[in-house]
Amino acid sequence: MALRPGDHRTPGGAGALTALRPVAVRWIRFRAMPPRVLLDATPLAGPHGVRGIGTYVRGLLEGFARLEEERRPELLIRTDGRGPESFVQHPVELREWSVPLIPDPRPGRAGLKRIEELRPRLFHATQSGIIPEGGAVIATCHDLIPLRYPALYLSGPRIAERRAYNHYLRCRRQARLIIAPSVSTASDL
């Protein structure tokens, strides 16, 4: 026996699952199902873990933890960190270098490769470093400080920073929804 979604749907909803019914299995073949929603929880570890983005992700997870398990997003987490045990977790190794003033492209590439492998139906990008191009994406924009103050962040010899930030802006524009966690950021958007 296996379980598959029932025909019961929430009234007026977009087809939210409310019941499961048993069905007979005629063949057995194990293939991982792509996550419905994959949330970037990598900021829980590393330098972001103790700053604003880590706090933001912890707050999201506290809210999602109140949902039934089958309605929770799955998490993209760093191999050197852990998310709440009640969530399905997909590790990714994000190596970083310590060259000052030059953005490290490797974590973003590793994250994008892992997202491509998992093929989620929807990805929630919680930081600027890992936003896939194309596909269904929700992006959180914490601030646009480099855009508001380009002389401080993007001018002069900061070619790598400028390229990385322009790439982020391009990917963010393709997002289906942009979440601004503050009124100030929302007005900047």
Side-chain angles (χ1 to χ4, degrees), residues 38-81:
L38 182 64
L39 181 123
D40 178 11
T42 59
L44 293 175
H48 288 304
V50 294
R51 299 192 320 221
I53 296 175
T55 302
Y56 171 76
V57 171
R58 276 191 298 282
L60 286 175
L61 296 180
E62 286 174 14
F64 285 131
R66 295 182 184 127
L67 298 173
E68 298 91 31
E69 285 190 35
E70 66 271 1
R71 297 193 65 194
R72 294 178 190 164
E74 296 182 14
L75 307 180
L76 182 68
I77 60 159
R78 291 172 61 123
T79 53
D80 59 348

Side-chain angles (χ1 to χ4, degrees), residues 26-152:
R26 290 183 174 76
W27 49 269
I28 297 175
R29 183 174 168 178
F30 295 100
R31 184 168 54 137
M33 291 293 294
R36 294 179 315 276
V37 176
L38 182 64
L39 181 123
D40 178 11
T42 59
L44 293 175
H48 288 304
V50 294
R51 299 192 320 221
I53 296 175
T55 302
Y56 171 76
V57 171
R58 276 191 298 282
L60 286 175
L61 296 180
E62 286 174 14
F64 285 131
R66 295 182 184 127
L67 298 173
E68 298 91 31
E69 285 190 35
E70 66 271 1
R71 297 193 65 194
R72 294 178 190 164
E74 296 182 14
L75 307 180
L76 182 68
I77 60 159
R78 291 172 61 123
T79 53
D80 59 348
R82 289 180 45 192
E85 292 182 15
S86 61
F87 288 81
V88 174
Q89 301 180 27
H90 303 279
V92 61
E93 188 169 347
L94 301 181
R95 294 184 180 162
E96 298 177 8
W97 60 29
S98 59
V99 178
L101 302 176
I102 300 175
D104 185 356
R106 293 178 301 170
R109 285 190 203 130
L112 294 175
K113 182 179 178 187
R114 186 71 170 122
I115 294 164
E116 188 177 303
E117 290 169 0
L118 294 168
R119 300 174 299 123
R121 294 183 193 148
L122 177 68
F123 179 72
H124 182 172
T126 59
Q127 60 174 322
S128 61
I130 304 174
I131 300 181
E133 293 187 60
V137 175
I138 293 174
T140 298
C141 179
H142 296 277
D143 62 57
L144 292 169
I145 291 174
L147 206 56
R148 298 270 324 241
Y149 304 101
L152 293 173

Side-chain angles (χ1 to χ4, degrees), residues 149-166:
Y149 304 101
L152 293 173
Y153 294 93
L154 304 173
S155 67
R158 298 182 178 194
I159 296 167
E161 285 93 337
R162 217 172 14 257
R163 288 182 63 201
Y165 198 71
N166 286 334

